Amino acid sequence: MLGGISIWQLLIVLGIIILIFGTKKLRNVGGDLGDAVKGFKKAVSDEEKKDDTIEKPHARVSQEDNGNTYDVNAEHKSEEQEERK
């Protein structure tokens, strides 16, 4: 089995842990761990939804100057940057 550990050895270790910490404390630790996992899953799914809903601005480049190439990276300006001008 698990690297030479039998089911009886695992049950003995579990019994010792229950005796040391008590069932109430273990239940609280398990609940906190479950809440942390749920929070992590929610945060990950919210980030994926957020990334899907954000539209990235498109740059428009006119080709009035024939023969020139423009490399444009369009970014959204924050209100602070607009106020500085």
Side-chain angles (χ1 to χ4, degrees):
M1 256 184 153
L2 302 166
I5 299 174
S6 70
I7 189 73
W8 293 110
Q9 292 171 333
L10 290 175
L11 288 174
I12 291 170
V13 170
L14 180 64
I16 293 170
I17 290 173
I18 289 174
L19 286 174
I20 292 172
F21 294 108
T23 56
K24 186 176 181 182
K25 189 173 241 184
L26 288 177
R27 192 175 326 130
N28 290 341
V29 169
D32 292 343
L33 182 63
D35 290 340
V37 170
K38 286 179 187 176
F40 178 74
K41 286 182 180 180
K42 183 179 178 187
V44 169
S45 66
D46 288 347
E47 282 294 322
E48 289 175 357
K49 289 178 185 176
K50 183 179 175 184
D51 289 342
D52 292 342
T53 59
I54 296 175
E55 292 184 22
K56 298 188 178 184
H58 298 285
R60 292 186 179 211
V61 178
S62 65
Q63 294 185 356
E64 295 172 4
D65 297 329
N66 293 333
N68 292 335
T69 303
Y70 297 96
D71 187 14
V72 178
N73 184 12
E75 295 180 358
H76 180 69
K77 291 184 180 179
S78 66
E79 292 179 13
E80 292 178 4
Q81 289 176 341
E82 291 178 8
E83 289 177 1
R84 290 181 189 169
K85 290 183 177 180

